[in-house]
Amino acid sequence: MPLPLRPSGGGRPSPRAADALVAGAVLLVVAVWTLVAGLRASEPPLRAALGWALVLAGCGALYFRRRRPVATAVVTLLACAVYYPLSAQDGPLMIAFALALYTTAAEGRFAAAVALGAVTLLAVGAGEIRQQPGHRQIDDTSLAMLAGWLISLVAVGRAQRTRAAYLHEVEQRALAAEREQEARARQSAAEERLRIAREVHDVLGHSISLINVQSGAALHRLGKKPAPEAGLAAATEALEAVRATSKDALRELRATLGVLRRADEPTPTTPASSGLALLGDLAERARSAGLDVRTGVTGAPAPLPPPVDLAAYRIVQESLTNIARHARARTVDIGLDWGPDAVRLRIADDGEGAPEDRPLGSGIRGMAERARALGGELTAGNGRDGGFLVDARLPYAVPSAPGEGPRENTR
């Protein structure tokens, strides 16, 4: 069974065009050699015309050598069997048969190639044995060399077939691994979406339940027909509670939906129970992996909104994961700079850095998305002194819906 041909690309000719070029090149070599040999040997025009017809047939058959390897080898062998006893010029038409025999073995027709080689050797040997003493054109040494030549052609073709089969198997394994990786990425993204859906359900369920209870209590009070002042106070209190609850619910919902990723990106699925409070645990786990983690804090720490706190934790966690898996680094410096309106994270290592021609991975893109969703920014790239640097700025204020003022932490 022939192996599938690779599609042409990168300016390379198609398989059929390549076969046509090979057939034309062989025809050119045989024709030039035959013309040069014809200067020293003459023959009748009819025999010369028949010889040239055999040359054209044998070389032209090479165009079909990949699609019909056995038939091509048979045609070239028959052309040689008729051409050499007939023609006085003895051109190198044997090149066409040699190429056809090699292609037969390379296309997986090993038994047919062996049979054709054996038939060729036996036919030449039988023809020489029938010659009168002193009239032989091929001696025993030449017959032995011919046998070695035919065996070499079949063996090289077989080796090429084995190599092509190995490369095809490697390519199929790589494709299977790529498909498996894509399936795992889709599964990871689906699990992340499921986790976010559960968070949305919890936020909305809790908030709507509170709103329902608060509004029900207000209606119950108003149903008793209290004094106008007392009824207005009860209604105002209930509306304020509903407003505060719905505002918090919308803010948490925006923070949750802001980190949604595309369906084809792998994402972490286990949220941290807290944020930067677990930075020491992250550093200890990284140290257990062989990294020398150094942390530095400047400024006065401030309480962060949960989305900002979780995003900061995720950025440090993803950075340490990338360093442990890809950077081949020994030292990692984690810096927290508490500014007047934002916290800045800088994670730098002394590893090999990232290749300049390779795009950033989905983990870094996900960190940048988290930062942008919270009104911040994140940059990642090779450091000036080597290694890799992740620089993120997260504001203390969580972005709000239009018409609402940002929620800021007081320092």
PDB file of all heavy atoms in Angstrom, residues 4 8 33 50 60 64 69 159 162 172 201 216 225 248 254 266 270 282 302 319 323 325 392 410-411:
ATOM      1  N   PRO A   4       0.606   7.909   1.755  1.00  0.00           N
ATOM      2  CA  PRO A   4       0.015   9.124   1.218  1.00  0.00           C
ATOM      3  C   PRO A   4       1.074  10.166   0.930  1.00  0.00           C
ATOM      4  O   PRO A   4       2.016  10.334   1.681  1.00  0.00           O
ATOM      5  CB  PRO A   4      -0.941   9.574   2.334  1.00  0.00           C
ATOM      6  CG  PRO A   4      -0.397   8.947   3.576  1.00  0.00           C
ATOM      7  CD  PRO A   4       0.193   7.651   3.148  1.00  0.00           C
ATOM      8  N   SER A   8       1.698  19.500  -1.915  1.00  0.00           N
ATOM      9  CA  SER A   8       2.768  20.393  -2.348  1.00  0.00           C
ATOM     10  C   SER A   8       2.619  21.740  -1.685  1.00  0.00           C
ATOM     11  O   SER A   8       1.532  22.216  -1.421  1.00  0.00           O
ATOM     12  CB  SER A   8       2.725  20.544  -3.873  1.00  0.00           C
ATOM     13  OG  SER A   8       1.484  21.099  -4.263  1.00  0.00           O
ATOM     14  N   TRP A  33      23.431  10.887 -24.685  1.00  0.00           N
ATOM     15  CA  TRP A  33      24.405   9.786 -24.733  1.00  0.00           C
ATOM     16  C   TRP A  33      24.247   8.993 -26.034  1.00  0.00           C
ATOM     17  O   TRP A  33      25.236   8.605 -26.680  1.00  0.00           O
ATOM     18  CB  TRP A  33      24.179   8.879 -23.520  1.00  0.00           C
ATOM     19  CG  TRP A  33      25.294   7.895 -23.272  1.00  0.00           C
ATOM     20  CD1 TRP A  33      25.970   7.152 -24.186  1.00  0.00           C
ATOM     21  CD2 TRP A  33      25.846   7.536 -22.007  1.00  0.00           C
ATOM     22  NE1 TRP A  33      26.892   6.353 -23.600  1.00  0.00           N
ATOM     23  CE2 TRP A  33      26.845   6.567 -22.232  1.00  0.00           C
ATOM     24  CE3 TRP A  33      25.585   7.923 -20.703  1.00  0.00           C
ATOM     25  CZ2 TRP A  33      27.562   5.987 -21.198  1.00  0.00           C
ATOM     26  CZ3 TRP A  33      26.303   7.346 -19.681  1.00  0.00           C
ATOM     27  CH2 TRP A  33      27.285   6.398 -19.920  1.00  0.00           C
ATOM     28  N   LEU A  50      13.331   2.740 -34.719  1.00  0.00           N
ATOM     29  CA  LEU A  50      12.766   1.834 -33.727  1.00  0.00           C
ATOM     30  C   LEU A  50      13.476   1.986 -32.385  1.00  0.00           C
ATOM     31  O   LEU A  50      12.848   1.961 -31.317  1.00  0.00           O
ATOM     32  CB  LEU A  50      12.873   0.389 -34.230  1.00  0.00           C
ATOM     33  CG  LEU A  50      12.253  -0.687 -33.326  1.00  0.00           C
ATOM     34  CD1 LEU A  50      10.783  -0.402 -33.055  1.00  0.00           C
ATOM     35  CD2 LEU A  50      12.429  -2.081 -33.938  1.00  0.00           C
ATOM     36  N   GLY A  60       9.481   7.639 -21.146  1.00  0.00           N
ATOM     37  CA  GLY A  60       8.156   8.196 -20.901  1.00  0.00           C
ATOM     38  C   GLY A  60       7.375   7.420 -19.860  1.00  0.00           C
ATOM     39  O   GLY A  60       6.530   7.996 -19.150  1.00  0.00           O
ATOM     40  N   PHE A  64       4.740   7.499 -14.936  1.00  0.00           N
ATOM     41  CA  PHE A  64       3.738   6.737 -14.171  1.00  0.00           C
ATOM     42  C   PHE A  64       4.383   5.884 -13.082  1.00  0.00           C
ATOM     43  O   PHE A  64       3.734   4.983 -12.550  1.00  0.00           O
ATOM     44  CB  PHE A  64       2.937   5.826 -15.112  1.00  0.00           C
ATOM     45  CG  PHE A  64       2.299   6.561 -16.249  1.00  0.00           C
ATOM     46  CD1 PHE A  64       2.920   6.628 -17.487  1.00  0.00           C
ATOM     47  CD2 PHE A  64       1.073   7.192 -16.075  1.00  0.00           C
ATOM     48  CE1 PHE A  64       2.323   7.307 -18.537  1.00  0.00           C
ATOM     49  CE2 PHE A  64       0.479   7.882 -17.128  1.00  0.00           C
ATOM     50  CZ  PHE A  64       1.101   7.943 -18.365  1.00  0.00           C
ATOM     51  N   PRO A  69       3.924   1.466 -10.274  1.00  0.00           N
ATOM     52  CA  PRO A  69       5.360   1.151 -10.217  1.00  0.00           C
ATOM     53  C   PRO A  69       5.710  -0.174 -10.890  1.00  0.00           C
ATOM     54  O   PRO A  69       6.713  -0.256 -11.604  1.00  0.00           O
ATOM     55  CB  PRO A  69       5.646   1.123  -8.714  1.00  0.00           C
ATOM     56  CG  PRO A  69       4.324   0.901  -8.049  1.00  0.00           C
ATOM     57  CD  PRO A  69       3.310   1.539  -8.926  1.00  0.00           C
ATOM     58  N   ALA A 159      14.869   0.434   1.936  1.00  0.00           N
ATOM     59  CA  ALA A 159      15.233   1.308   3.052  1.00  0.00           C
ATOM     60  C   ALA A 159      14.467   2.632   2.988  1.00  0.00           C
ATOM     61  O   ALA A 159      14.017   3.155   4.009  1.00  0.00           O
ATOM     62  CB  ALA A 159      16.739   1.564   3.038  1.00  0.00           C
ATOM     63  N   THR A 162      10.997   2.005   4.237  1.00  0.00           N
ATOM     64  CA  THR A 162      10.966   1.900   5.695  1.00  0.00           C
ATOM     65  C   THR A 162      11.076   3.281   6.336  1.00  0.00           C
ATOM     66  O   THR A 162      10.370   3.592   7.301  1.00  0.00           O
ATOM     67  CB  THR A 162      12.112   1.002   6.173  1.00  0.00           C
ATOM     68  OG1 THR A 162      11.991  -0.284   5.553  1.00  0.00           O
ATOM     69  CG2 THR A 162      12.063   0.829   7.680  1.00  0.00           C
ATOM     70  N   GLN A 172       1.795  10.918  12.222  1.00  0.00           N
ATOM     71  CA  GLN A 172       0.474  10.560  12.744  1.00  0.00           C
ATOM     72  C   GLN A 172       0.436  10.638  14.266  1.00  0.00           C
ATOM     73  O   GLN A 172      -0.567  11.073  14.849  1.00  0.00           O
ATOM     74  CB  GLN A 172       0.097   9.149  12.277  1.00  0.00           C
ATOM     75  CG  GLN A 172      -0.142   9.043  10.776  1.00  0.00           C
ATOM     76  CD  GLN A 172      -1.232   9.978  10.296  1.00  0.00           C
ATOM     77  OE1 GLN A 172      -2.309  10.052  10.893  1.00  0.00           O
ATOM     78  NE2 GLN A 172      -0.962  10.686   9.215  1.00  0.00           N
ATOM     79  N   HIS A 201     -24.256  31.460  39.558  1.00  0.00           N
ATOM     80  CA  HIS A 201     -25.474  30.958  40.203  1.00  0.00           C
ATOM     81  C   HIS A 201     -25.488  31.304  41.684  1.00  0.00           C
ATOM     82  O   HIS A 201     -26.517  31.746  42.236  1.00  0.00           O
ATOM     83  CB  HIS A 201     -25.572  29.446  40.007  1.00  0.00           C
ATOM     84  CG  HIS A 201     -26.717  28.812  40.743  1.00  0.00           C
ATOM     85  ND1 HIS A 201     -26.594  28.337  42.045  1.00  0.00           N
ATOM     86  CD2 HIS A 201     -27.996  28.582  40.376  1.00  0.00           C
ATOM     87  CE1 HIS A 201     -27.749  27.845  42.446  1.00  0.00           C
ATOM     88  NE2 HIS A 201     -28.621  27.964  41.451  1.00  0.00           N
ATOM     89  N   GLY A 216     -40.110  41.656  50.524  1.00  0.00           N
ATOM     90  CA  GLY A 216     -41.269  41.040  51.180  1.00  0.00           C
ATOM     91  C   GLY A 216     -41.520  41.611  52.567  1.00  0.00           C
ATOM     92  O   GLY A 216     -42.672  41.842  52.962  1.00  0.00           O
ATOM     93  N   LYS A 225     -50.599  49.084  57.179  1.00  0.00           N
ATOM     94  CA  LYS A 225     -51.047  50.469  57.092  1.00  0.00           C
ATOM     95  C   LYS A 225     -50.551  51.297  58.272  1.00  0.00           C
ATOM     96  O   LYS A 225     -51.335  51.793  59.091  1.00  0.00           O
ATOM     97  CB  LYS A 225     -52.572  50.537  57.009  1.00  0.00           C
ATOM     98  CG  LYS A 225     -53.126  49.843  55.769  1.00  0.00           C
ATOM     99  CD  LYS A 225     -54.633  49.939  55.717  1.00  0.00           C
ATOM    100  CE  LYS A 225     -55.165  49.249  54.458  1.00  0.00           C
ATOM    101  NZ  LYS A 225     -56.657  49.321  54.363  1.00  0.00           N
ATOM    102  N   ASP A 248     -23.921  45.217  44.817  1.00  0.00           N
ATOM    103  CA  ASP A 248     -22.861  44.238  45.082  1.00  0.00           C
ATOM    104  C   ASP A 248     -22.980  43.036  44.142  1.00  0.00           C
ATOM    105  O   ASP A 248     -21.964  42.500  43.665  1.00  0.00           O
ATOM    106  CB  ASP A 248     -22.939  43.786  46.537  1.00  0.00           C
ATOM    107  CG  ASP A 248     -22.528  44.886  47.508  1.00  0.00           C
ATOM    108  OD1 ASP A 248     -21.832  45.828  47.061  1.00  0.00           O
ATOM    109  OD2 ASP A 248     -22.898  44.803  48.694  1.00  0.00           O
ATOM    110  N   ARG A 254     -19.990  41.159  37.226  1.00  0.00           N
ATOM    111  CA  ARG A 254     -19.063  41.698  36.227  1.00  0.00           C
ATOM    112  C   ARG A 254     -17.650  41.166  36.429  1.00  0.00           C
ATOM    113  O   ARG A 254     -16.940  40.859  35.484  1.00  0.00           O
ATOM    114  CB  ARG A 254     -19.062  43.232  36.291  1.00  0.00           C
ATOM    115  CG  ARG A 254     -20.254  43.884  35.621  1.00  0.00           C
ATOM    116  CD  ARG A 254     -20.012  45.378  35.464  1.00  0.00           C
ATOM    117  NE  ARG A 254     -19.821  46.022  36.756  1.00  0.00           N
ATOM    118  CZ  ARG A 254     -20.797  46.510  37.505  1.00  0.00           C
ATOM    119  NH1 ARG A 254     -22.048  46.394  37.108  1.00  0.00           N
ATOM    120  NH2 ARG A 254     -20.532  47.090  38.660  1.00  0.00           N
ATOM    121  N   PRO A 266      -6.851  26.778  27.405  1.00  0.00           N
ATOM    122  CA  PRO A 266      -6.830  26.070  28.680  1.00  0.00           C
ATOM    123  C   PRO A 266      -6.770  27.048  29.837  1.00  0.00           C
ATOM    124  O   PRO A 266      -6.073  28.044  29.796  1.00  0.00           O
ATOM    125  CB  PRO A 266      -5.547  25.230  28.601  1.00  0.00           C
ATOM    126  CG  PRO A 266      -4.681  25.978  27.661  1.00  0.00           C
ATOM    127  CD  PRO A 266      -5.604  26.614  26.652  1.00  0.00           C
ATOM    128  N   THR A 270      -9.156  25.407  39.586  1.00  0.00           N
ATOM    129  CA  THR A 270      -9.305  25.382  41.039  1.00  0.00           C
ATOM    130  C   THR A 270      -9.008  26.753  41.610  1.00  0.00           C
ATOM    131  O   THR A 270      -7.860  27.173  41.625  1.00  0.00           O
ATOM    132  CB  THR A 270      -8.342  24.354  41.666  1.00  0.00           C
ATOM    133  OG1 THR A 270      -8.561  23.107  41.052  1.00  0.00           O
ATOM    134  CG2 THR A 270      -8.602  24.245  43.154  1.00  0.00           C
ATOM    135  N   LEU A 282       2.406  30.010  48.235  1.00  0.00           N
ATOM    136  CA  LEU A 282       2.877  29.876  46.847  1.00  0.00           C
ATOM    137  C   LEU A 282       4.404  29.835  46.791  1.00  0.00           C
ATOM    138  O   LEU A 282       4.995  29.018  46.072  1.00  0.00           O
ATOM    139  CB  LEU A 282       2.372  31.053  46.010  1.00  0.00           C
ATOM    140  CG  LEU A 282       0.961  30.974  45.441  1.00  0.00           C
ATOM    141  CD1 LEU A 282       0.646  32.239  44.660  1.00  0.00           C
ATOM    142  CD2 LEU A 282       0.791  29.765  44.558  1.00  0.00           C
ATOM    143  N   ALA A 302      -2.777  47.386  51.688  1.00  0.00           N
ATOM    144  CA  ALA A 302      -4.160  47.814  51.867  1.00  0.00           C
ATOM    145  C   ALA A 302      -5.072  46.647  51.556  1.00  0.00           C
ATOM    146  O   ALA A 302      -4.729  45.776  50.747  1.00  0.00           O
ATOM    147  CB  ALA A 302      -4.470  48.994  50.946  1.00  0.00           C
ATOM    148  N   SER A 319       2.606  32.880  37.016  1.00  0.00           N
ATOM    149  CA  SER A 319       4.000  33.207  36.723  1.00  0.00           C
ATOM    150  C   SER A 319       4.940  32.167  37.314  1.00  0.00           C
ATOM    151  O   SER A 319       5.887  31.704  36.648  1.00  0.00           O
ATOM    152  CB  SER A 319       4.332  34.597  37.266  1.00  0.00           C
ATOM    153  OG  SER A 319       3.514  35.583  36.678  1.00  0.00           O
ATOM    154  N   ILE A 323       7.465  29.633  35.295  1.00  0.00           N
ATOM    155  CA  ILE A 323       8.903  29.604  35.582  1.00  0.00           C
ATOM    156  C   ILE A 323       9.350  28.187  35.912  1.00  0.00           C
ATOM    157  O   ILE A 323      10.382  27.709  35.416  1.00  0.00           O
ATOM    158  CB  ILE A 323       9.222  30.565  36.738  1.00  0.00           C
ATOM    159  CG1 ILE A 323       9.003  32.017  36.297  1.00  0.00           C
ATOM    160  CG2 ILE A 323      10.659  30.383  37.216  1.00  0.00           C
ATOM    161  CD1 ILE A 323       9.078  33.015  37.432  1.00  0.00           C
ATOM    162  N   ARG A 325       8.051  25.394  35.008  1.00  0.00           N
ATOM    163  CA  ARG A 325       7.877  24.439  33.907  1.00  0.00           C
ATOM    164  C   ARG A 325       8.736  24.756  32.698  1.00  0.00           C
ATOM    165  O   ARG A 325       9.113  23.851  31.959  1.00  0.00           O
ATOM    166  CB  ARG A 325       6.412  24.392  33.490  1.00  0.00           C
ATOM    167  CG  ARG A 325       5.482  23.870  34.565  1.00  0.00           C
ATOM    168  CD  ARG A 325       4.029  23.982  34.182  1.00  0.00           C
ATOM    169  NE  ARG A 325       3.709  23.154  33.030  1.00  0.00           N
ATOM    170  CZ  ARG A 325       2.490  23.095  32.470  1.00  0.00           C
ATOM    171  NH1 ARG A 325       1.517  23.816  32.961  1.00  0.00           N
ATOM    172  NH2 ARG A 325       2.267  22.324  31.436  1.00  0.00           N
ATOM    173  N   ALA A 392       2.595  43.681  36.383  1.00  0.00           N
ATOM    174  CA  ALA A 392       1.151  43.907  36.391  1.00  0.00           C
ATOM    175  C   ALA A 392       0.821  45.047  37.342  1.00  0.00           C
ATOM    176  O   ALA A 392       1.440  45.205  38.398  1.00  0.00           O
ATOM    177  CB  ALA A 392       0.407  42.640  36.810  1.00  0.00           C
ATOM    178  N   THR A 410     -10.271  52.506  51.269  1.00  0.00           N
ATOM    179  CA  THR A 410      -9.672  53.608  52.012  1.00  0.00           C
ATOM    180  C   THR A 410      -8.411  53.118  52.660  1.00  0.00           C
ATOM    181  O   THR A 410      -8.371  52.032  53.232  1.00  0.00           O
ATOM    182  CB  THR A 410     -10.651  54.113  53.073  1.00  0.00           C
ATOM    183  OG1 THR A 410     -10.991  53.053  53.929  1.00  0.00           O
ATOM    184  CG2 THR A 410     -11.914  54.650  52.430  1.00  0.00           C
ATOM    185  N   ARG A 411      -7.375  53.917  52.584  1.00  0.00           N
ATOM    186  CA  ARG A 411      -6.076  53.519  53.119  1.00  0.00           C
ATOM    187  C   ARG A 411      -5.863  54.201  54.440  1.00  0.00           C
ATOM    188  O   ARG A 411      -6.311  55.295  54.667  1.00  0.00           O
ATOM    189  CB  ARG A 411      -4.963  53.913  52.146  1.00  0.00           C
ATOM    190  CG  ARG A 411      -5.050  53.152  50.847  1.00  0.00           C
ATOM    191  CD  ARG A 411      -3.947  53.569  49.909  1.00  0.00           C
ATOM    192  NE  ARG A 411      -2.613  53.355  50.498  1.00  0.00           N
ATOM    193  CZ  ARG A 411      -1.956  52.209  50.486  1.00  0.00           C
ATOM    194  NH1 ARG A 411      -2.494  51.156  49.945  1.00  0.00           N
ATOM    195  NH2 ARG A 411      -0.761  52.102  51.036  1.00  0.00           N
TER     196      ARG A 411
END
